[in-house]
Amino acid sequence: MTPLTFPANSARATMDDVARLSGVSLKSVSRVINGEPHVSANLRAKVEAAIAELNYVPDAAARSLAGSRTFIIGLLLDNPSPHYTMKIQKGVYDVVRSHQYHLRIDNVDSTVPDEQFSAQLEALIRNNRCDGFVLTPPLSDNLLLLDFLEARKIRYVRIAPALDNARGPGIAIDDAAAAAAMAQHLWDLGHRRFAVMRGPASHMAAARRRDGFIAELERLGSATPIIDADGGFSFEGGIAAGETLIAQSPRPTAVFACNDDSAAGVMAACSKAGLKVPDDISVCGFDDSWIARSVWPYLTTVYQPIEEMGQAAAALLLRRDEQEGKISQLGFQLVIRDSTAPPRQTQG
């Protein structure tokens, strides 16, 4: 009998070839490829080594016909920050691709009336069936969306959820604690007149940042009113709100924006008004996005691992065992740069 040979990087390799080369059953190969739970590390290593040697590419159509899955994961977005959306997309894509799944990305407008929002969801599901969805804020807290998916028994994982955490698995950071750390930083510099620039009303993670910042200042003994402005998570919104803030008398000596885009907008408003950051006013943000190192002075901010959050959410979604009600937290880091400094005593 002529022994079976496996040409390197064969483009026509099959699951049978993978099973024979790895010395395991066809069912075991299928379990590894499909990301089934309770697969031993040894078995997974054997199969993945055979896949790499044979350059085996699973046939998505055949996999779909063999079961009820489409091998497509959906990512739903409704966020104006380009940095955030790009980082989330990359994180989710890396994991989805490594499991031989495809990624579908859709933007859903959650600000429309409920009837119109429901119509968007119906069209989304009707036109493209997915095995599950990664939900980003503010969609991760949209109860109408959660009801819609649950009624159709569609799996989902939420990023940065704030409402009804028992409903499904999620990935988050402690937004309130991160904002509190920024408040402590500004307080330690000597600031006593503060402004906070909140995000969209529907974005619960932004609300936690605002509330955490204010609560920490109150705990520290802040005696002056904290000015609250709407930055809308956008550069343009930051400019508009920033112009209002710097017109206050007395002017705040420090501004905390709930994302970097709006913080950069505040800095632009300051420059337009002839104010220097941080000499005349300190500005800080949240995310540690590319814009934090594109403006001058470089922006003091909170680093949240956006790409890693996308990876963790996708990995959790692809697991076949249930993780209902479990919210996993990742870490954050205060990043001190040039846009914050002690206030000048002559500041008006």
Side-chain angles (χ1 to χ4, degrees), residues 138-261:
L139 297 172
S140 47
D141 282 315
N142 188 297
L143 301 184
L144 183 60
L145 172 57
L146 301 187
D147 290 341
F148 181 91
L149 295 176
E150 289 173 5
R152 290 156 181 79
K153 295 182 169 39
I154 300 173
R155 291 166 55 84
Y156 62 82
V157 171
R158 299 193 284 167
I159 293 178
L163 302 177
D164 250 351
N165 284 351
R167 291 188 70 162
I171 305 294
I173 68 167
D174 191 336
D175 289 281
M182 185 64 78
Q184 181 72 63
H185 164 65
L186 295 173
W187 185 269
D188 290 344
L189 288 174
H191 291 279
R192 296 298 182 266
R193 297 201 302 273
F194 302 93
V196 59
M197 188 168 295
R198 62 186 181 273
S202 60
H203 200 298
M204 297 300 166
R208 290 198 300 271
R209 295 168 198 172
R210 171 198 173 275
D211 294 347
F213 182 79
I214 292 174
E216 181 63 12
L217 291 177
E218 291 175 346
R219 187 192 70 80
L220 291 168
S222 180
T224 58
I226 299 166
I227 303 172
D228 199 346
D230 181 7
F233 267 14
S234 70
F235 179 76
E236 294 77 11
I239 293 176
E243 290 174 343
T244 300
L245 291 177
I246 61 181
Q248 300 290 317
S249 183
R251 188 175 66 239
T253 65
V255 178
F256 168 57
C258 288
N259 84 334
D260 290 344
D261 296 71

Side-chain angles (χ1 to χ4, degrees), residues 103-154:
L103 177 64
R104 174 183 169 83
I105 302 170
D106 286 282
N107 283 286
V108 181
D109 185 359
S110 62
T111 64
V112 298
D114 286 355
E115 183 176 343
Q116 190 175 342
F117 184 67
S118 296
Q120 288 184 73
L121 299 180
E122 289 287 358
L124 180 69
I125 299 302
R126 181 175 61 252
N127 295 332
N128 290 279
R129 198 161 60 89
C130 294
D131 292 337
F133 288 93
V134 174
L135 310 181
T136 60
L139 297 172
S140 47
D141 282 315
N142 188 297
L143 301 184
L144 183 60
L145 172 57
L146 301 187
D147 290 341
F148 181 91
L149 295 176
E150 289 173 5
R152 290 156 181 79
K153 295 182 169 39
I154 300 173

Side-chain angles (χ1 to χ4, degrees), residues 15 40 45-46 90 99 119 153 183 195 232 235-236 238 254 260 265-266 268 273-274 288 305 317 330:
M15 280 182 63
S40 71
K46 285 182 180 180
K90 185 178 186 308
H99 285 75
K153 295 182 169 39
F235 179 76
E236 294 77 11
D260 290 344
V266 175
D288 195 23
L317 184 62
L330 302 184

Side-chain angles (χ1 to χ4, degrees), residues 28 50 61 248 288 301 319 331 338:
S28 294
Q248 300 290 317
D288 195 23
T301 187
R319 288 173 57 176
D338 304 286

